[in-house]
Amino acid sequence: MPNPKFVEMALSFAGGDGGNLQSEVWFCGYEWGNLAKTDMAETIEHEFVAQPRPTSWQDEDFEGSWGTNYNRKICWFLRYFYELDGSNKSTKDFVEEFKILYPDGLGFKLNLLPVRFRDRATVDWSEIIKAASGFESFADYREWCVVHRGKFFRNAIQQYKPKLLICTGVGERDNFFRAFTDGEKPERIQLPDFAVSMARFDQTLVCVTPFFGGPSGINSHKKMKQLVSHAKALLQSE
């Protein structure tokens, strides 16, 4: 049985950067990165807290978040999607001028899983995370989140009706679609340099893409322009 405190946290906006729920474009990663190698005890102490309202990049706790490789790609996407002038601007200035992931700005960001791990390649499902979450294994935790946290965010999608949800990471493709759609079979589409998969939920186009960054992900302006161009074409054709 999941720990009630964990359930309260996971069925909230915790574990994501947040932004503007009214935005046309939402982004979803797998989980927060852990560049600082924060240990699990500290993560549980500071992050096992429910967030009934989204946070944002305007919050002090997120100062500088736009500097990570992944988050810079979010800025790229929004720049091309809205045809914003990003020339001769630092990422910080771009974020502030166009209010990227601000409560009244552009974009909203969530994560499928709410807990960050010190090493994603070899997850240490230690006694401390077992006790804090109530799950005996990472697989049990992930499955619960796909089903129940997915439903929480599907409800939010139906309420706020974003046009587009970009989910990054083809390795979790099936879990993204299980979490954020009603079982519609996704369509795989080959673009010049990579493939994406798309399905619809309510009024939202759910698109699973390669990871934002990394050697095989969306790691160039050319690839990002391909993604944005195809997503906009699909939205305009409806």
Side-chain angles (χ1 to χ4, degrees):
M1 284 289 292
N3 185 310
K5 184 177 180 181
F6 168 84
V7 172
E8 184 181 9
M9 178 274 292
L11 301 186
S12 79
F13 295 104
D17 294 26
N20 184 3
L21 285 166
Q22 304 286 351
S23 178
E24 295 179 311
V25 183
W26 289 18
F27 301 91
C28 181
Y30 190 49
E31 66 192 16
W32 267 335
N34 193 358
L35 295 177
K37 300 299 182 184
T38 306
D39 66 31
M40 186 53 68
E42 187 176 347
T43 295
I44 290 168
E45 179 181 357
H46 296 291
E47 297 180 8
F48 266 50
V49 179
Q51 292 284 353
R53 292 178 297 279
T55 50
S56 80
W57 282 0
Q58 199 171 29
D59 296 352
E60 184 177 346
D61 288 347
F62 288 87
E63 177 68 30
S65 290
W66 48 84
T68 68
N69 188 26
Y70 184 97
N71 287 339
R72 286 198 300 272
K73 302 304 185 293
I74 286 179
C75 294
W76 289 8
F77 185 98
L78 292 171
R79 173 185 174 183
Y80 296 128
F81 189 86
Y82 289 108
E83 300 180 2
L84 306 174
D85 180 10
S87 58
N88 301 316
K89 291 184 177 74
S90 68
T91 304
K92 181 177 185 294
D93 290 343
F94 180 83
V95 165
E96 292 177 351
E97 179 175 348
F98 297 109
K99 298 185 175 182
I100 306 301
L101 267 63
Y102 277 28
D104 59 344
L106 300 176
F108 178 79
K109 180 187 173 190
L110 61 129
N111 282 308
L112 179 60
L113 305 183
V115 180
R116 71 176 85 221
F117 285 88
R118 189 177 181 121
D119 187 350
R120 161 57 35 222
T122 55
V123 171
D124 178 17
W125 197 258
S126 61
E127 291 302 320
I128 190 170
I129 185 62
K130 285 183 183 179
S133 68
F135 296 104
E136 287 297 314
S137 69
F138 176 81
D140 291 342
Y141 153 74
R142 177 176 57 188
E143 179 64 17
W144 187 95
C145 288
V146 168
V147 174
H148 299 283
R149 187 167 162 91
K151 182 178 180 180
F152 171 83
F153 280 111
R154 287 199 308 276
N155 289 340
I157 288 168
Q158 288 180 308
Q159 179 177 355
Y160 294 101
K161 303 186 187 310
K163 291 182 178 180
L164 184 63
L165 171 60
I166 298 289
C167 301
T168 57
V170 294
E172 293 297 323
R173 170 185 177 274
D174 292 346
N175 283 331
F176 282 132
F177 285 122
R178 287 178 59 213
F180 302 127
T181 72
D182 268 339
E184 177 181 336
K185 185 178 180 180
E187 177 185 6
R188 186 180 185 275
I189 301 169
Q190 182 65 50
L191 303 184
D193 292 320
F194 58 92
V196 298
S197 297
M198 299 192 177
R200 177 156 294 282
F201 174 68
D202 198 47
Q203 298 178 37
T204 301
L205 183 65
V206 180
C207 177
V208 176
T209 76
F211 186 72
F212 277 10
S216 61
I218 298 181
N219 51 18
S220 67
H221 288 276
K222 177 188 174 186
K223 290 181 178 179
M224 188 63 77
K225 288 177 181 178
Q226 286 178 29
L227 174 61
V228 171
S229 177
H230 187 73
K232 289 180 74 171
L234 285 175
L235 292 173
Q236 291 166 2
S237 68
E238 295 174 351

